[in-house]
Amino acid sequence: ATYIIEGGSSSLYKTIKSMCHSDPELLDALLSHLADQMAEYIKYQIDSGAQCMQIFDSWGGQLPPREWDKWSGPYLRRMVESVKATHPNVPLTLYANGSGGLLERIKSTGVDVVGLDWTVDMADARARLGNDVALQGNVD
């Protein structure tokens, strides 16, 4: 959604962040639609032979936890639940750059693997998340 709303890559996400307050109904409709369509695309890729999939949350690490709970988490959960309903054994990874403060929230989406950026210590992530989710990444 950020690429659609911002018109390309962004480091500040000003337009979509302001949209959270200026037009939340439109943003919710867009995020809901995109979550449903991305879930269908992930299923298509799996049906075509993909053995695992990675989801990128482009702006997740730019949101404070309260905002992530409203504007990112629910749509990611929606995607994961939809894919897992038809493809329960295909591992799903979720990666959000700059999300060290959101690791427990990322795990709560139901993914099998939490992707870590270079700022997160692997041992700290393991201690925080337990052993029931795989970890990936932590390289620059």
Side-chain angles (χ1 to χ4, degrees):
T2 56
Y3 294 101
I4 293 170
I5 293 169
E6 298 290 336
S9 183
S10 175
S11 60
L12 300 176
Y13 302 99
K14 286 182 184 180
T15 306
I16 193 167
K17 284 181 178 179
S18 65
M19 194 174 179
C20 292
H21 307 286
S22 65
D23 204 344
E25 295 83 13
L26 179 60
L27 183 56
D28 173 63
L30 176 63
L31 293 173
S32 295
H33 176 74
L34 290 174
D36 293 342
Q37 296 310 305
M38 288 305 303
E40 291 305 311
Y41 184 57
I42 291 169
K43 292 177 201 177
Y44 171 77
Q45 289 186 11
I46 295 168
D47 291 340
S48 297
Q51 297 173 315
C52 62
M53 294 298 301
Q54 184 162 348
I55 301 165
F56 292 87
D57 184 2
S58 299
W59 73 321
Q62 303 299 315
L63 296 171
R66 183 184 77 254
E67 294 295 311
W68 191 91
D69 289 343
K70 183 173 183 177
W71 294 113
S72 198
Y75 307 99
L76 292 165
R77 263 185 226 92
R78 184 176 180 148
M79 288 171 51
V80 171
E81 289 170 2
S82 178
V83 173
K84 288 295 185 179
T86 57
H87 300 84
N89 298 318
V90 175
L92 298 178
T93 300
L94 176 55
Y95 175 80
N97 193 43
S99 63
L102 301 169
L103 296 181
E104 293 82 0
R105 284 171 163 85
I106 290 173
K107 178 184 174 184
S108 77
T109 63
V111 294
D112 305 286
V113 183
V114 173
L116 306 175
D117 71 11
W118 64 276
T119 65
V120 179
D121 180 79
M122 187 73 73
D124 290 343
R126 175 58 63 214
R128 287 171 60 187
L129 299 178
N131 293 318
D132 60 334
V133 66
L135 301 176
Q136 176 265 326
N138 180 259
V139 293
D140 189 8

